[in-house]
Each structure stands twice: as C-alpha cells, then as structure tokens.
Amino acid sequence: MTSLYSRFCNSSIGRKWIVALTGLALIAYVIGHMIGNLQIFMGRERINAYAETLHSMGPLLWAVRAFLLAAFVVHIVVTIQLTAENRRARPERYSVKEERRAGAASKSMIISGLIVLSFVVYHLLHFTTNTTNPEFKVLEDAKGRHDVYAMVIHGFQNPLVAWFYITGMFLLCLHLSHGFQSFLQTIGANSKKTAPVFDAGSRLLAWFIFAGYTAIPAAVLLHLLHT
Amino acid sequence: MNNGLDSKIPGGPLEKKWSKHKFDSKLINPANRRKYEIVIVGSGLAGGAAAATLGELGYRVKCFCYQDSPRRAHSIAAQGGINAAKNYQNDGDSVFRLFYDTIKGGDFRSREANVYRLAEVSANIIDQCVAQGVPFAREYGGLLANRSFGGAQVSRTFYARGQTGQQLLLGVYAALSKQIAAGNVRMHPRTEMLDLVLVDGHAKGIVTRDMVTGEIASHAGDAVLLATGGYGNVFYLSTNAKGCNVTATYRAHKKGAYFANPCFTQIHPTCIPVTGEYQSKLTLMSESLRNDGRVWAPKAKGDKRPPAQIPEEERDYYLERKYPSFGNLAPRDISSRAAKEACDDGRGVGPGGLGVYLDFADAIKRLSEPVIRERYGNLFDMYHKITSEDAYKTPMRIYPAVHYTMGGLWVDYNLMSNVPGLHVLGEANFSDHGANRLGASALMQGLADGYFVIPATIGNYLATQTGKRPPPDHAEFKKAEEDVLARIKKLLNINGKRTVDSFHRELGLLMWDKCGMARNDAGLKEALNRIKEIREEFWVNVKAPGANEELNQALEKAGRVADFLEFGELMCLDALDRKESCGGHFREEHQTPDGEALRDDENFAYVSAWERTDGTPVQHKEPLVFENVHLAQRSYK
Amino acid sequence: MNFKLRVWRQENPKSEGRFANYEAPDIPSDASFLEMLDIVNEGLILKGDSPIAFDHDCREGICGMCSLVINGTPHGPEKATTTCQLYMRHFRDGQTIHIEPFRAKAFPVIRDLVVNRAAFDRIQQAGGFITARAGSAPDGNAVPIAKPAADLAMDAAACIGCGACVAACPNSSAMLFVGAKVSHLGLLPQGQPERMRRVLNMVKTMDNEGFGNCTNHYECEAVCPAEISVAFIARMNRDYAIASVRESVE
Ligand SMILES: Cc1cc2nc3c(=O)[nH]c(=O)nc-3n(C[C@H](O)[C@H](O)[C@H](O)COP(=O)(O)OP(=O)(O)OC[C@H]3O[C@@H](n4cnc5c(N)ncnc54)[C@H](O)[C@@H]3O)c2cc1C
Ligand code: HEM
Ligand code: FES
C-alpha cells in the first residue's frame, strides 16, 4: 500500500487524479447543493423543511461535511503544490509567448479556485455560522424552525452581498468550464472523438450551475422573491 | 588473394553460404563477452541495431553520434519502405528473386554472396521489427500490408505511412535505450569521431571531439564499427541531413582502410527542384508518387507556357515513350538521366529550366481527388509547404537530386575492412548495392548488418584478440589526439575571407556538374584540377571563427568540408578509371546508340578499392564473379 | 524581403543570456527559416562576429532536431510545421521576429538557441521499449493486429521527439511526449507484457527530470508538428492509475 500511496501522492499523474477525484466530489456537492437551494422557489415551507431534514441527520451530516471539507482541503493543497512546481519548471520565462489553445479558464484555475475559496469562507460565515450576520440566527418560521427562506432573502437584499455571490458563482463557472472536461481527461475518459463533446459539455454544465445558483440572488434583487 | 583483398566468401552453394558461415564462425563464450569493449560510431539503423544487439549479447559497447540523440540519425528520413522476401502477397516473390532483382538493379557490380545473404535475412528483419512494435501498415484483416516500390514487379515493400525510416529507427532506438539503461551500452551523443586509431596495424579505438565542450578524447576498444552513413553531402545539395559527412570513413581511409567504388552515387529522380543559391538542402518526394503520377516535359524547347496551357499532343511523356514496359516506374538511375536529358535539351520547366512535371491529373480523373489525397496527402502537403504550389491543381515540378551513396569502405563477408578490427556497416560500406541501389533496400541492409550479420561475424575477429585492447592513454592515442587538435587549431587560425559554406557550395556545384548524373573524361580531369585549387584556397582563406572549447558549428563544418575536399578527388579518380557506364555511373563516352548505359563486363566487372596511406591513391581490384546469375544488359524497355 | 531579428544569445549553460538585434536584409521569400538564419550567420562570420548557434539536421521535418520559439510559438506560426519547414513567405516584409530557445528547467540552454533535450532519452530508457531479442521474433504475421489499433498506434508513434510540447506548455510538462510513447507501445499486442511497468517507470523518470505537471491546457497539441493528440495523455493517465493499483494488489 505504501507504493500505491506514493504512486498517487508523489507523482504528477497521481496527484492529477487526486485533484480530479476531489474535484468530482466537489462538483457533485455543488450540483446537489444547487438543487437543494433551488427549492426556495417552491416556497418557505419547502425550503425550511428541507433545511430541517438536513439538520436532523446529525452524524450523517457531519460525516458528509467532514468528507467535503477533506476533499476541499486536499484539492486546494494539491493544486497549490502542483502550481508551484509548474512555476519552477520554467525558471526563465519567455519574453514573447503566444497561446494557441489555452484560454482564460484554463490559465486562471488557481485564481478562480482561490477566489472561490474566499467565497466559500464568506458563504459559511454568512449563511452557515451566521458570524457575519448574527441576527439571522434568531429568524424562526411559524413552525418554530430556523427560517432559512427569510435568511436568504434578507441576505441578498443587500446588493453588495448579492453581487459578491454572483461574482463568486461566475468564477466557479469559469473554474468548471475548464475543470469538468479536465476531469474527464485526467481520468482517461477522453479520446479524439469525445474531445469536442466533452469540451462543449463542460461549458454547458458550468453555465447551468451558474444559472442555477445566480437565479436566487438575481430573483431577490429583482424582487421576484420576497419575505 | 590480390593485394590483401580477401573477400572471405564461404564456399559451397549460394543458399548454404550464410548458414555454413555462421556455423563456422567463432563464438565468444557468454561469460567472456563482457571483457570485450566495442566502439560503434553511428546510431542509425546499422549502428544502432548493432549496438543494441551486441549489448544484448553481453558485449560492452560504446556508441557515438553527432546528433543530440541517437534517435535522430538520418535513417529517420526514409519515407518509402523496406523490402523483404516474405512473399506474403503470394505474388511470386522469393529470396532468390529479391537477390536477383538487387544484383540486376545494381547493374552487376555487387557480390553475389553478400546480396544473397541480405535477401535471406530480410524476412527476419520484418519479424524483428514487428516484435519491437514498429507500426507497419496493415490490412483490415490485421495482416501486414505491402506495396510495390521502385518498379519492382512484386509487392514486397513494408511501410509505415510516409515515415518508414523513422519508425524503424525508433524501434532500433528503443532497443538501444533498453541496453543503455541496462548499462551495456554507453551512449555518447553530440560527439564526433575525428580519427581512427591503429595499434600494431589493428583498429583499436577512435578519437572524438565533444561538440559541446570541445574536449578531445580517446576511446579504446577491441574492435571498431563504423556505421556513419553516406557521403552524399560532398555535393553540398543532397537529400541527406546537413550533418552527414565522410569524415569518419575518410579518416579511416587515411589510416589504411580501402575506399571502394566511391564514384557510385545514386541520384533520386523525384526531388523538389533547386530554387536559389541560398538553398541548403534538397527534399525528396517519395518515389511512390511515380505509381500514379506521369512524368512529362514539353516537346518544344524553351516552352514557357504554364503546364495547363500545354496541350496533350505537345507533351512528351518521355518515360512512357522510352520505356514502355516500365514507364513511369523505370529505376532511379534511368529516370534521373532521362530528366536530365530533357532539361539539357532545353525542355526543362520552372525557374532555371531544371525541372520536369510529375502530373496527377489523369490519376485524379481516374481515382478521384480524395483517393489521391489518401495515398499521398502528406507528400502533397510537404510540396505545398516548400513551393506554395497546389499539386492537386497543377503538376508538381521535380528534378533529380543526390540521395544515396553505394560506394563506401571496402569490407569482406564478415563486414570487416582490410584494416583488422575495423568493421563497416550500413550505407558506410560498399557491399550490397553495386552501382545502383533499389528503392527500399537501404533500410533492409542497415538492419541486416546491425541485427543479424555483425553479431554473427564479429566473433571471428574478437576470438583472436583476447586481452589485446590497449589502454586509452597508449602512445598511438596520444599521437592521434595531438594530430586532431593540431588540425583544429590550424582551421581556426586561418582566419581568411570566405565562409566554410561558400567553399562547400563551390565544391558541390563542381561535383554535380562533372561527377554527377553524367561524367566524361575531360570533365573529370578538369574537376580533379579544380578540386585541388579549391582545396588549396580553403586552407589559406577559410574563416572558421571562435574557439575549440565551445559549441562551434562553424568549426564542425570546416572539418567536414576539409575532408570532402580531399574525398571529392577520390570520387573523380574512381569515375575516371571506370571507363564504362553502369548504374548511377554514366560515362558519356560509353553509351548505346539510343543513349542507354553501356556496361563493359569484360574489363570492369570489379570492385575498385582505393588505398591511400600517404599521398597518391593506389587502386586494388576485387574481381566480381557471377556463378548464379547471368550477366545481362539491364533493360527496362 | 527584410526582417529585424531579436535573438537570444547565450555563450554557455552558465553564462547570462541576453537578446541581440540583427538585420536580415534581402532574404528570398522561398528561403526556409533556417536558411534565413544561415544567411544571417554568413554575414556575422564575415564581420568577425560569432554566428547564432541553432540545432538542425534533416531539414525536412522528421528528425526533430530543429527547435526555436518564433514570435512566441515553438516552431513558429504555421500549423503542423517544424522550423526547418517554415518558409519566410509566411512573414511580413519588415517584420520583427523574436527568436528564443525552447525554455524549460528540464531543457537547459547549451548555447544561444541550442538546448539539451537528453531528458527525453532518459525517459525512453526508463521503459520506452518492447523487449525483443534479435533472432527470437515470431513471424511478422503471427499476431494479426486490427487496422484501427495499428493506425492509432501509428498516430502515437509519429512523434518526432522535438520537445515543442514542453516548450509550448505553460507548465513545461512533457506529458504529450510521454503519452505518445506509452500509447504507441501500449496499443500493440506485443507491448502488453511490459505495459504496466513501462508507464510507471517512464512517468517516474519524467517527474524526476523536472518537467511540470499537465493541467490540460492542450497547448502542446496545438503546436505539435506531428499533430499528436492529447487523447494519448488521457490514455496514459488511465494506464498509470490501473498500473498503480495493480502493482499494489498483485
Ligand atoms: C530522404 C531519404 C529517403 C530515403 N528513403 C529510403 C527508403 O524509403 N527506403 C530505403 O531502404 N532507404 C531509403 N533511404 C536510404 C536510407 O535511409 C539510408 O541509406 C540508411 O538509413 C542509412 O543508414 P545508416 O545506419 O547506414 O546511416 P545513418 O542513419 O545515416 O546514420 C549515421 C550515423 O552515424 C553518425 N555519424 C556520422 N558521422 C559521424 C562522425 N563523424 N562521428 C560520430 N558519428 C557520426 C550519425 O550521427 C548517425 O548516427 C533514404 C535516404 C534519404 C536521405
Ligand atoms: C466548489 C469548489 C470547487 C470545485 C467544484 C472544483 C472543481 C475542480 C475540478 C473538477 C477540477 C478539474 C480536475 C482535473 O484537472 O482533473 C479542478 C481543478 C482545479 N482546481 Fe478546483 N474546484 C473547486 C475549488 C477549488 C479551489 C478552492 C481551488 C483553490 C486552490 C481550486 C483550484 C484548482 C486548480 C488550480 C485546478 C487545476 C488543476 C488542473 O486543471 O489540473 N479549486 N477543480
Ligand atoms: S531539422 Fe529535422 S525536423 Fe527540422
């Protein structure tokens, strides 16, 4: 097993696999989370009940959170490590360099990723621990449950916050428009024939996620959702 | 036999000679092999295959090449394919037929026994390459595909797209890499051999220059193998790589090795014509194009109309006219000469009038453009890249160019030269192609020599040499190092007014004019004088800047050109001596009334092997005896 | 045609490099890029300057010896073309042309535009072969290979080993080269016995040579003169994972 550990944790391809698999876990979460959040459009009752169910899962919830946190941390640590190595692999830069294929998305993975990280931190402080807005803690609905519905709407009524969320989601979208097909390439699913399909699919998925997440702050800003 | 030229051809019937010889050859006990150090210069098909195979057998091998990696030897450039008498197509091929075609193609100026052996081992070569993972073309059924090449009447050519040479060389390189990793072969890339070292008359090592640091070093061995390719660059413009040189073989020649048939050079008929003085090399368009293209020139002299405006009846499809049964597939020497004739006649096309058309219009009509694209797309692309012309729309322009050299160091049946211990493989030796090489046979020879012949024959020499390897600080090595360094210093100190390339171009042009596709007594004599003059000027007026102790490409070139300037003289001398026309050697005085080559078997059925230790060259003759084929005039009508 | 050249000059691996400017006047449009440099060098030599060192040999696009980063692109602007097959007619008259060596930690500069690509040889030595002793091979047709597999192996085998992939990659990764080698041999039945060892050893050597890691920019494929597909990288990624797992359980 030590050999397996070192094959994956010390080699270039092995670590790519780790980034890809943790990335996949995060994508799965991102999609699941999005579907959960979109229930807000189905009314206060629905979203609050959903939140309540999640919280009632106790240890399972913590297991999932721990897993996600681990994936997130590993994803970040490994990508930062790889990026640093990549910098070192070309000590003398080109004075003129033209890119033919690499796009904004692929070149900005570390930036988009780090901004998404800062977004996630803020997001947790904002809606999960309510550290930034302690007043959210006390919101309760008619059934005495935490009023998630009201919290989200109050949260996004501040345009600064809403726009920060939208920007964060755009960067996540950018990250994934490269990331998803990159995942497929890394795990070896790509071929000459699939390449264009994966490329387009990756972009589609990214925009789909962007649309799903931004729908909520956008709806609040446009007064389509209100308390 | 005469003057130390013992070809050591084994007795017995032709088909049994090689097996008998292998049986009679001395073996080296596996445990003893690692006591022998073998120096191999060259990492092409011949040298690379020899290094890999001898390393695998357990010998200690040192291998040298001037490129930055053994994978870049010029074997890589071969496009068309490799012959083998597999008869997979069941079209009547056999070892004997390949043997016969090669002897006849060589215009009866090669040794029967060597050529037969080549044909015999050809089948093993394909097996070996397939086992190594060479991705030869295949049919849908999964079996190996073949094509007919260079006018052969059977389909015996194996190929890998348009890059057979690269794929075969990558197979060799892979095997070599394995031996390097195993420590059996030590590879010295970017290292040029500058002299051969003899100790007590035996070849016991070489002196090299590290092309990065300039370090001059000695490498001692129990035997030395030269597989350094051909000398086509004596013409400056050729299809050879820029670094191809005669230095390794010529230095050996100066140390006593006989140079055989130097005047036998092959001019390939389908190359892209020269466009200007700045041009540095010529590009071959695979011969396979002649399977579908039709060669023509305008009937009228000086016809400057674009090809599309020249009506059918004003075109001279001269190959079809002169050689109805072979037509556009006539052998290389014949097609080349026919193109030259048309151009000499003032009917050449393109800039300078040195070109003829290779026209695909009919083939496109017959087969459709997609089919032609599928067959030759990469060649058409390459043509477009170089000329910016679209050969689907307008005929290609082609002209012959120097391509291959049949001549080389003289070797016996064991591939050993007259200098004991010095073995010569691949294009660098003279042995198998006579006066003209058939298409797809050079790759075959290189691999035959490296994989199968030398591993079996080298024991005959090594067995007599136990414990005789001198240390690399032996006085002979020191002396050779000093000579090499002195010569380098001399080149660097001339500091004249002309660049190395300008001398090389001048020599090349002269050789092309006087010792190229057609030669005559007066021209050769004139060339001999001119070469001397150019050489004299070179040694007082060349400018090679920089120092020895650095990467110095001008110095590298200067050393090579200095050798070409001596070697060119030997070529002309040999061409002058051979008062007959055969294969690639066409003496204008010796032709049939209709302008075909006129061989003189009575007086010239010999290998001409030149000795030059000091000063004037001395000729030795190895008579060629034909017991299994009937000498006939080569007719492709 | 006339050009202005801005060329990287560096005397030896240890010295500092710098750019130098040269004029390249009266260049025929039919000259190749290297012939243009030949002409410039002839001038430099006659002036007593040291000529620009650059690698080249076959000059027909197959040996992989020529290199150069021309105006920011390895092998210059034309698709699927090596520097030696690049012709001056593709440049604008009067244009300034920037010429740099391939840059990567694993490809140290030897002099001017000449770099050391021996790392590729060492990767090959780590496993880029199929063991087949001369004389031991079965008949060439003993194992039929379906044409599609043979063709795909040939696509991978077309790599000329020039290193443009490394030069183009923002991370100086050698994955396209190694992917092509691993795929060529791994696609053929003859290559199966050593397939797992091969990929593990070649990747390990690649990593040790100081190349960067692939982040799927596909710059390599875009500049590859032999048009090697990045799908071969995917294939290698797969083989690598399978080989690693197998190695630990078998
Ligand atoms: C464009 C082209 C196309 C061809 N097409 C075909 C074809 O389709 N079929 C066919 O059968 N043949 C073909 N040939 C011929 C064939 O490729 C060569 O004859 C053959 O590959 C020569 O192999 P070799 O091993 O003898 O030499 P090479 O492959 O030329 O190798 C020579 C080696 O010697 C080394 N070397 C040379 N001089 C020195 C020195 N002084 N010091 C150190 N090292 C040195 C070089 O570095 C190199 O490693 C073609 C040739 C050309 C040029
Ligand atoms: C919800 C959050 C995230 C998701 C869904 C996600 C998803 C992905 C995916 C799928 C990949 C492609 C994996 C591959 O190349 O095979 C990837 C790559 C990458 N991620 Fe993330 N990621 C997230 C957050 C982050 C963060 C916070 C960082 C900050 C360091 C980051 C940095 C990177 C980098 C640098 C890559 C490039 C690696 C490569 O392309 O090879 N990611 N990500
Ligand atoms: S010089 Fe051989 S590929 Fe360019």
Side-chain angles (χ1 to χ4, degrees), chain C residues 12-233:
Chain C
N12 58 56
K14 294 199 188 74
S15 63
E16 286 274 311
R18 70 197 153 76
F19 282 96
N21 294 309
Y22 301 101
E23 297 288 328
D26 301 323
I27 304 294
S29 63
D30 280 338
S32 73
F33 199 85
L34 297 183
E35 284 164 351
M36 183 273 292
L37 287 179
D38 288 343
I39 297 173
V40 171
N41 273 344
E42 294 262 290
L44 288 176
I45 292 173
L46 291 178
K47 270 202 315 208
D49 288 344
S50 85
I52 303 161
F54 58 90
D55 264 330
H56 64 103
D57 200 29
C58 76
R59 294 205 177 188
E60 49 187 272
I62 190 74
C63 75
M65 184 103 174
C66 62
S67 56
L68 313 190
V69 173
I70 301 166
N71 285 341
T73 307
H75 292 304
E78 288 291 295
K79 196 171 173 304
T81 303
T82 54
T83 296
C84 60
Q85 291 278 289
L86 176 65
Y87 284 79
M88 294 317 290
R89 66 177 88 90
H90 296 298
F91 292 84
R92 261 183 300 108
D93 195 19
Q95 189 176 349
T96 299
I97 304 175
H98 304 266
I99 311 173
E100 291 184 69
F102 281 2
R103 294 197 192 277
K105 185 171 148 216
F107 286 173
V109 171
I110 294 176
R111 178 174 195 142
D112 297 345
L113 306 170
V114 176
V115 300
N116 182 348
R117 288 168 285 193
F120 272 11
D121 289 315
R122 291 188 288 269
I123 294 173
Q124 189 89 23
Q125 286 154 22
F129 45 76
I130 293 174
T131 300
R133 208 167 292 113
S136 69
D139 185 83
N141 264 344
V143 182
I145 304 174
K147 188 166 156 55
D151 283 351
L152 195 59
M154 179 65 226
D155 286 344
C159 165
I160 62 172
C162 64
C165 44
V166 174
C169 175
N171 313 330
S172 304
S173 162
M175 290 279 277
L176 191 64
F177 170 77
V178 185
K181 297 288 157 199
V182 164
S183 300
H184 159 207
L185 301 175
L187 273 159
L188 296 169
Q190 307 89 296
Q192 298 313 309
E194 287 158 306
R195 180 168 171 187
M196 296 298 142
R197 282 183 45 188
R198 178 182 307 122
V199 66
L200 293 177
N201 293 341
M202 290 181 83
V203 169
K204 186 163 189 188
T205 309
M206 170 182 84
D207 289 347
N208 291 341
E209 291 289 345
F211 292 101
N213 309 287
C214 175
T215 52
N216 303 330
H217 291 291
Y218 310 142
E219 277 297 308
C220 49
E221 182 184 86
V223 303
C224 176
E227 303 191 279
I228 305 292
S229 160
V230 291
F232 294 123
I233 297 181

Side-chain angles (χ1 to χ4, degrees), chain B residues 53 56 66-74 76-79 86 88 124 126-144 160-163 166-167 170 173-178 180-181 187 189-190 212 236 239-244 275 278-284 382 384-388 451-452 496-502 505 543-545 550-554 557, chain C residues 11 13 28-32 34-35 38-39 41-43 45-60 62-65 79-82 85 87 89-90 110-111 114-118 120-122 124-126 128-148 150-155 157-163 177 181 184-185 188 190 194:
Chain B
T53 312
E56 176 98 61
Y66 69 75
Q67 294 91 345
D68 69 338
S69 162
R71 75 179 299 291
R72 306 201 203 281
H74 198 53
I76 203 141
Q79 305 169 347
K86 278 285 196 187
Y88 280 158
N124 306 32
I126 299 305
D127 301 340
Q128 175 64 20
C129 295
V130 168
Q132 284 172 342
V134 171
F136 283 122
R138 290 188 178 256
E139 299 163 356
Y140 277 98
L143 301 179
L144 291 160
R161 299 229 172 112
Q163 40 179 276
Q166 146 143 284
Q167 294 312 321
L170 289 180
Y173 168 64
L176 181 61
S177 294
K178 180 172 183 215
I180 295 172
M187 188 69 219
R190 288 201 200 268
V212 175
Y236 185 66
T239 65
N240 284 7
K242 290 299 282 176
C244 290
T275 52
Y278 58 85
Q279 192 147 350
S280 61
K281 89 151 259 157
L282 295 173
T283 304
L284 177 85
M382 180 150 99
H384 176 76
K385 247 176 220 167
I386 296 175
T387 63
S388 77
Y451 283 136
F452 299 109
K497 297 212 157 42
R498 283 182 65 185
T499 61
V500 178
D501 277 352
S502 88
R505 265 194 290 268
K543 187 166 178 110
E550 60 184 7
L551 189 149
N552 187 338
Q553 295 172 323
K557 280 198 259 187
Chain C
E11 261 182 40
S29 63
D30 280 338
S32 73
L34 297 183
E35 284 164 351
D38 288 343
I39 297 173
N41 273 344
E42 294 262 290
I45 292 173
L46 291 178
K47 270 202 315 208
D49 288 344
S50 85
I52 303 161
F54 58 90
D55 264 330
H56 64 103
D57 200 29
C58 76
R59 294 205 177 188
E60 49 187 272
I62 190 74
C63 75
M65 184 103 174
K79 196 171 173 304
T81 303
T82 54
Q85 291 278 289
Y87 284 79
R89 66 177 88 90
H90 296 298
I110 294 176
R111 178 174 195 142
V114 176
V115 300
N116 182 348
R117 288 168 285 193
F120 272 11
D121 289 315
R122 291 188 288 269
Q124 189 89 23
Q125 286 154 22
F129 45 76
I130 293 174
T131 300
R133 208 167 292 113
S136 69
D139 185 83
N141 264 344
V143 182
I145 304 174
K147 188 166 156 55
D151 283 351
L152 195 59
M154 179 65 226
D155 286 344
C159 165
I160 62 172
C162 64
F177 170 77
K181 297 288 157 199
H184 159 207
L185 301 175
L188 296 169
Q190 307 89 296
E194 287 158 306

Side-chain angles (χ1 to χ4, degrees), chain A residues 16 20 26-27 75 79 109 113-114 117 175-176 179 182-183 186, chain C residues 215:
Chain A
K16 283 285 304 177
L26 295 174
I27 292 182
H75 188 85
T79 50
M109 287 303 271
L114 286 172
L117 169 65
H175 198 81
L176 289 184
S182 180
F183 158 78
T186 300
Chain C
T215 52

